Amino acid sequence: YGSLSMSQELNFAQKQAWNLARTLMMPVILFRVDDNEYGVLPADDLEDDEVEALFEYCPYTGGRPVH
């Protein structure tokens, strides 16, 4: 296994977030934890000031940047 570049990690995280939104059938937020780590939470569970939100994925309308 080789290491992934930051853009590859973000691309992977985005695909996982979209899949989770479609599985849960609810909006999820993709956020940055550290420089190279990402996380996903249901949009209703995320406080705005907790993390750096990057994208929102809605199973009905797709993804969009938060900013």
Side-chain angles (χ1 to χ4, degrees):
Y1 295 98
S3 62
L4 297 175
S5 71
M6 188 168 171
S7 64
Q8 290 172 316
E9 289 178 5
L10 178 57
N11 187 34
F12 179 75
Q14 288 174 308
K15 289 178 182 178
Q16 296 302 311
W18 174 235
N19 285 335
L20 184 60
R22 291 184 302 161
T23 299
L24 297 176
M25 294 307 292
M26 65 185 337
V28 299
I29 300 291
L30 172 65
F31 59 92
R32 187 185 338 252
V33 179
D34 289 324
D35 289 338
N36 295 331
E37 294 185 22
Y38 301 95
V40 179
L41 280 174
D44 291 343
D45 293 346
L46 187 66
E47 298 292 327
D48 290 338
D49 57 348
E50 287 182 351
V51 295
E52 180 186 353
L54 301 174
F55 294 92
E56 178 179 30
Y57 293 90
C58 175
Y60 306 104
T61 59
R64 68 173 182 83
V66 173
H67 300 286

